[in-house]
Amino acid sequence: LAVLAVAFTSLSAQELKLPALSPTSTITQEFSTSKIEIVYSRPSMRGRKIFGDLVPMGTVWRTGANAATKITFGEEVEIGGVKVPAGSYSFYSIPGASEWEIIINKNTGNWGAMGYDTKDDVVRLKVKSSTLPQSMETFTMWVGNITFSSCTIDFAWENTMVSVPV
């Protein structure tokens, strides 16, 4: 009887899925003649101060939680005047008070920013950040301002929004 109870408990525990603190999200957006896909984890504020505290200013951030954010371009794009071949990349950022540095990096296997190396950078560009009129509880990324030949990769959290022209 005891063996059956342990077996049942083990089986039940394996089937139980608890909610993640930073759930993974995948967004896919048709763009030009192909698509852009972003896979990232979405942390929430949960009463914490984010930029300048949980996410330090001036240091490389994975732009999300858990594994480094991964962005896949289905065709060659241009970011910051640099042609980026079709393929998958890590999307990092360096937060600043009013300007952020955006990094597209070849190494997609990093956990967070651990293992990040500038030698794998494909693009580095600076973009202005803006202040949101209301707070964004959960980190969110999207593809916006879509035309036939351009778009933006946007993200927002706390009271900050950043747009990266593609």
Side-chain angles (χ1 to χ4, degrees), residues 110-132:
N110 290 339
W111 181 258
M114 291 188 318
Y116 166 77
D117 193 329
T118 56
K119 74 175 176 51
D120 294 321
D121 289 352
V122 176
V123 175
R124 285 181 85 103
L125 77 146
K126 293 187 178 185
V127 295
K128 298 287 183 195
S129 62
S130 59
T131 301
L132 296 171

Side-chain angles (χ1 to χ4, degrees), residues 20-163:
L21 288 174
S22 300
T24 301
S25 182
T26 300
I27 60 166
T28 303
Q29 177 63 58
E30 290 185 13
F31 171 66
S32 188
T33 60
S34 186
K35 67 180 178 178
I36 295 174
E37 181 179 84
I38 303 171
V39 179
Y40 70 109
S41 291
R42 302 184 66 200
S44 292
M45 288 174 30
R46 295 190 305 277
R48 303 175 291 183
K49 166 97 177 94
I50 304 304
F51 298 115
D53 191 16
L54 179 67
V55 177
M57 297 290 192
T59 61
V60 174
W61 178 46
R62 62 186 135 201
T63 317
N66 303 325
T69 291
K70 181 177 165 185
I71 188 164
T72 302
F73 301 107
E75 64 184 322
E76 180 181 84
V77 297
E78 187 175 313
I79 301 173
V82 177
K83 290 185 189 261
V84 179
S88 295
Y89 302 90
S90 288
F91 187 104
Y92 293 103
S93 57
I94 300 175
S98 62
E99 186 176 71
W100 286 48
E101 192 159 2
I102 303 302
I103 303 165
I104 305 297
N105 185 278
K106 288 188 274 189
N107 187 346
T108 60
N110 290 339
W111 181 258
M114 291 188 318
Y116 166 77
D117 193 329
T118 56
K119 74 175 176 51
D120 294 321
D121 289 352
V122 176
V123 175
R124 285 181 85 103
L125 77 146
K126 293 187 178 185
V127 295
K128 298 287 183 195
S129 62
S130 59
T131 301
L132 296 171
Q134 62 187 38
S135 183
M136 175 79 75
E137 171 67 26
T138 303
F139 177 70
T140 304
M141 295 185 81
W142 67 96
V143 179
N145 299 310
I146 302 165
T147 71
F148 289 122
S149 61
S150 68
C151 68
T152 55
I153 305 297
D154 303 310
F155 57 92
W157 198 18
E158 196 177 36
N159 293 95
T160 302
M161 181 175 161
V162 176
S163 290

